[in-house]
Amino acid sequence: MSNLTMEKLVNLCKQYGFIFQGSEIYGGLANTWDYGPLGTRLKNNIKDAWRKRFIQERKNSFETDTTILMHSRVWEASGHVDSFNDPKFDCKNCKTRYRADNFIEEYSLNHDSAQNMAFDEMTEYIKNNSMKCPKCGSSNFTDVREFKLMFETYRGTTEDNKTVIYLRPENAQGEYVNYLNVLRSSRTKLPFSIGQIGTVFRNEVTPGDFIFRTIEFEQMEYQTFCKPGDDVELYKYFKEYGKKFYLDLGLSNDKLRFKDHEKLSFYASAACDIEYLFPFGWGELNGTHDRTDYDLKRHQEFSGQNMEYIDSNTNEKFIPYVVESTYGVGRTVLACLFEAYHEETLEDGTIREVMRLHPYLAPYKVAIFPLIKKNHSDKANELFDILSKHFMVTYDESSSIGKRYRRQDVIGTPYCITIDDNTLNNNTVTIRDRDTMKQEVLDIEDIVDYINEKIAF
RNA sequence: GCAGAUGUGGUUUAAUGGUAGAACAUAACCUUGCCAAGGUUAGAACGGGAGUUCGAUUCUCCUCAUCUGCUCCA
């Protein structure tokens, strides 16, 4: 049973230290969220899980960590400088927003091209041709304005020495510009993959949905370079591999679906999302794109560097195709939180809130309780020192034992260990499983192996 | 970015143009021997700014944030 609304989740995350509003003491900055102690653990565990599946367990798979700030030519080559800002205007009457270039091409009498028009020329054109809002018939429009989706900053310390530099809107270009470096240094062959986890920035006008859409966010990206033709099978493979990854994280099959793109971007020959059913509707977690040789070809053109691969068996030369699969980190965190939350009514009628996170994702693997603070806290602290060398452990000696169990249930801790007189006399502890509510007696020596086996991913 | 609604301790809330009250949560001490027990005590709030007023959490304006619906998301 779960009836977790977004509002309730936001409060829960704040209360227990998963996620806080960004810049909260100054009134908040819209669409930014800070990860607290528990949220940071959860997020890092998700990233580690991804790393394990995509880098560690796959041959010819390499991780990079490239810079947020890149040469401006990168974004010209990628097409972002030309395509990642839109000319838009609003109908003041019915508040509909249009893309000016599309509007002119679609609704003008001659279907003129707006390709080469400046913004004020588009404004003039719309006015001079008495174009009307297709929705309400009004001609009361705002001027055409530019909506830049890339954040800009400046390089250079003096006013007259400044050059524009962009904050990356995707990680992918970092892998593409290092394709030759990785290929050479790793002595690898096609097909091979470069993965990367990194922060990207998009200056979008957005409604929030909590951490679902933010202006700064992390992506886990996976680029597979292959021989042209092999991209078709790889594309299919990575769609399924991505879904498998989400099932492994504990998301339920009936809340996951594929959504093929009908309209393809200029760089892609195929595109498909994996969506999760959030309380606010289906939302994208992953996008897999067949980017063909678009990016490497463009970088070859713009940089002058030869991006061709030589197949040593056939001596063929070609620019590799790229299949990209991108996973949103924050969105995955959000999906895992929604999926994990349960409310259970106990025999005495009280409600127990349980965060049934996969043990690998749980912020703490084990909580240690001295049954009686006075008698058992020394031994409990000793155990903390032993176990904390192996995994994240938390310690709680305040309030009643029942209350301590409940606190761990809400934050997803899979195992609780209680130290009592038996521990002092026989070296055994009571370990309680969050999901089954069953208690077992365990020798202290066996705890590490017991837990490690349970939390494996 | 547009329209509407909302903003009181961590959370849920009460009242008020004149000292802002509670419950839960939190912390300390006592008690307690395995699932939110009890007692005592403590800390903690009117989103921010300006205006009207002798005095504003309350009225007005601006702003910030959140929610709902649009819009946007190569």
Side-chain angles (χ1 to χ4, degrees), chain A residues 206-307:
Chain A
T206 59
D209 288 325
F210 196 29
I211 54 171
F212 184 79
R213 184 169 289 124
T214 51
I215 53 179
E216 172 186 338
F217 57 102
E218 283 180 283
Q219 293 189 322
M220 305 181 286
E221 287 198 351
Y222 201 70
Q223 316 289 335
T224 302
F225 300 81
C226 67
K227 192 172 174 177
D230 290 351
D231 53 310
V232 179
E233 279 307 307
L234 282 167
Y235 171 77
K236 281 188 209 155
Y237 173 82
F238 280 113
K239 276 170 60 173
E240 294 297 335
Y241 196 74
K243 188 175 176 193
K244 174 77 168 38
F245 173 64
Y246 280 120
L247 290 171
D248 287 351
L249 288 180
L251 303 188
S252 51
N253 194 40
D254 58 350
K255 287 187 176 171
L256 289 168
R257 73 173 186 196
F258 291 115
K259 181 81 184 291
D260 287 308
H261 286 209
E262 287 164 16
K263 263 177 72 179
L264 292 173
S265 306
F266 57 83
Y267 57 74
S269 70
C272 177
D273 293 343
I274 296 172
E275 296 185 329
Y276 180 76
L277 185 55
F278 290 98
F280 55 83
W282 290 95
E284 179 191 350
L285 296 180
N286 157 271
T288 297
H289 302 232
D290 186 337
R291 293 178 76 131
T292 70
D293 57 0
Y294 174 82
D295 297 276
L296 291 184
K297 216 182 217 169
R298 291 277 289 187
H299 283 304
Q300 174 169 288
E301 183 187 326
F302 278 69
S303 70
Q305 299 286 317
N306 185 3
M307 295 287 173

Side-chain angles (χ1 to χ4, degrees), chain A residues 215-408:
Chain A
I215 53 179
E216 172 186 338
F217 57 102
E218 283 180 283
Q219 293 189 322
M220 305 181 286
E221 287 198 351
Y222 201 70
Q223 316 289 335
T224 302
F225 300 81
C226 67
K227 192 172 174 177
D230 290 351
D231 53 310
V232 179
E233 279 307 307
L234 282 167
Y235 171 77
K236 281 188 209 155
Y237 173 82
F238 280 113
K239 276 170 60 173
E240 294 297 335
Y241 196 74
K243 188 175 176 193
K244 174 77 168 38
F245 173 64
Y246 280 120
L247 290 171
D248 287 351
L249 288 180
L251 303 188
S252 51
N253 194 40
D254 58 350
K255 287 187 176 171
L256 289 168
R257 73 173 186 196
F258 291 115
K259 181 81 184 291
D260 287 308
H261 286 209
E262 287 164 16
K263 263 177 72 179
L264 292 173
S265 306
F266 57 83
Y267 57 74
S269 70
C272 177
D273 293 343
I274 296 172
E275 296 185 329
Y276 180 76
L277 185 55
F278 290 98
F280 55 83
W282 290 95
E284 179 191 350
L285 296 180
N286 157 271
T288 297
H289 302 232
D290 186 337
R291 293 178 76 131
T292 70
D293 57 0
Y294 174 82
D295 297 276
L296 291 184
K297 216 182 217 169
R298 291 277 289 187
H299 283 304
Q300 174 169 288
E301 183 187 326
F302 278 69
S303 70
Q305 299 286 317
N306 185 3
M307 295 287 173
E308 284 179 325
Y309 177 85
I310 301 171
D311 188 316
S312 45
N313 292 327
T314 62
N315 276 332
E316 279 179 279
K317 277 189 184 177
F318 54 87
I319 292 181
Y321 270 36
V322 176
V323 175
E324 171 195 58
S325 204
T326 302
Y327 300 77
V329 177
R331 291 177 176 191
T332 305
V333 170
L334 189 62
C336 287
L337 286 170
F338 273 118
E339 187 78 37
Y341 183 87
H342 291 79
E343 283 176 0
E344 290 178 357
T345 308
L346 299 176
E347 286 171 16
D348 64 358
T350 61
I351 289 181
R352 165 182 179 252
E353 286 181 303
V354 198
M355 198 63 88
R356 286 236 175 88
L357 288 167
H358 187 296
Y360 187 83
L361 300 183
Y364 295 113
K365 310 308 178 196
V366 178
I368 299 175
F369 309 144
L371 188 58
I372 300 295
K373 189 168 146 186
K374 264 191 301 201
N375 305 338
H376 308 119
S377 65
D378 286 348
K379 191 69 181 172
N381 276 301
E382 278 176 35
L383 187 61
F384 179 93
D385 290 340
I386 294 169
L387 298 186
S388 62
K389 292 196 171 17
H390 300 273
F391 27 72
M392 286 296 290
V393 183
T394 183
Y395 175 87
D396 193 355
E397 60 179 24
S398 72
S399 326
S400 69
I401 190 80
K403 214 167 187 173
R404 287 180 255 166
Y405 278 128
R406 297 288 176 92
R407 276 197 283 248
Q408 297 306 320

Side-chain angles (χ1 to χ4, degrees), chain A residues 113-129:
Chain A
S113 168
Q115 288 273 316
N116 297 318
M117 288 189 194
F119 284 26
D120 51 352
E121 287 171 343
M122 286 193 260
T123 306
E124 283 296 304
Y125 184 96
I126 291 165
K127 194 187 278 180
N128 293 342
N129 288 275

Side-chain angles (χ1 to χ4, degrees), chain A residues 395-450:
Chain A
Y395 175 87
D396 193 355
E397 60 179 24
S398 72
S399 326
S400 69
I401 190 80
K403 214 167 187 173
R404 287 180 255 166
Y405 278 128
R406 297 288 176 92
R407 276 197 283 248
Q408 297 306 320
D409 291 342
V410 197
I411 65 170
T413 309
Y415 297 100
C416 294
I417 289 175
T418 304
I419 307 300
D420 59 13
D421 285 344
N422 288 326
T423 317
L424 305 180
N425 302 329
N426 312 326
N427 234 27
T428 60
V429 298
T430 308
I431 185 161
R432 178 268 222 172
D433 185 300
R434 174 198 67 200
D435 292 334
T436 63
M437 293 284 271
K438 295 265 169 56
Q439 298 188 161
E440 274 184 72
V441 175
L442 211 60
D443 196 282
I444 280 191
E445 306 290 315
D446 299 332
I447 296 175
V448 171
D449 286 345
Y450 179 92

Side-chain angles (χ1 to χ4, degrees), chain A residues 70-221:
Chain A
M70 299 180 80
H71 199 291
S72 297
R73 293 275 284 164
V74 169
W75 305 114
E76 290 170 27
S78 72
H80 283 81
V81 170
D82 285 338
S83 310
F84 213 53
N85 42 37
D86 301 332
K88 289 182 182 153
F89 65 96
D90 297 328
C91 170
K92 288 183 188 168
N93 189 44
C94 69
K95 312 297 181 194
T96 307
R97 173 167 294 162
Y98 297 99
R99 263 189 74 149
D101 48 353
N102 293 350
F103 186 83
I104 289 170
E105 284 163 26
E106 205 164 321
Y107 294 108
S108 66
L109 290 174
N110 307 322
H111 298 282
D112 287 339
S113 168
Q115 288 273 316
N116 297 318
M117 288 189 194
F119 284 26
D120 51 352
E121 287 171 343
M122 286 193 260
T123 306
E124 283 296 304
Y125 184 96
I126 291 165
K127 194 187 278 180
N128 293 342
N129 288 275
S130 308
M131 295 177 72
K132 289 185 171 52
C133 175
K135 206 166 167 187
C136 71
S138 164
S139 292
N140 187 14
F141 298 127
T142 64
D143 286 353
V144 175
R145 291 168 296 178
E146 183 180 24
F147 283 71
K148 290 185 181 178
L149 294 172
M150 274 200 291
F151 278 98
E152 290 177 359
T153 186
Y154 300 95
R155 173 80 199 267
T157 46
T158 57
E159 276 298 316
D160 53 354
N161 196 18
K162 284 204 294 200
T163 54
V164 171
I165 191 162
Y166 299 102
L167 274 56
R168 65 178 173 202
E170 65 174 21
N171 288 318
Q173 302 306 325
E175 287 105 282
Y176 300 150
V177 302
N178 280 292
Y179 144 76
L180 290 173
N181 284 334
V182 174
L183 178 65
R184 273 193 298 257
S185 61
S186 303
R187 300 164 38 249
T188 189
K189 288 188 295 191
L190 293 189
F192 74 97
S193 307
I194 308 179
Q196 167 155 295
I197 300 174
T199 302
V200 302
F201 303 83
R202 291 186 191 178
N203 198 1
E204 295 179 59
V205 179
T206 59
D209 288 325
F210 196 29
I211 54 171
F212 184 79
R213 184 169 289 124
T214 51
I215 53 179
E216 172 186 338
F217 57 102
E218 283 180 283
Q219 293 189 322
M220 305 181 286
E221 287 198 351

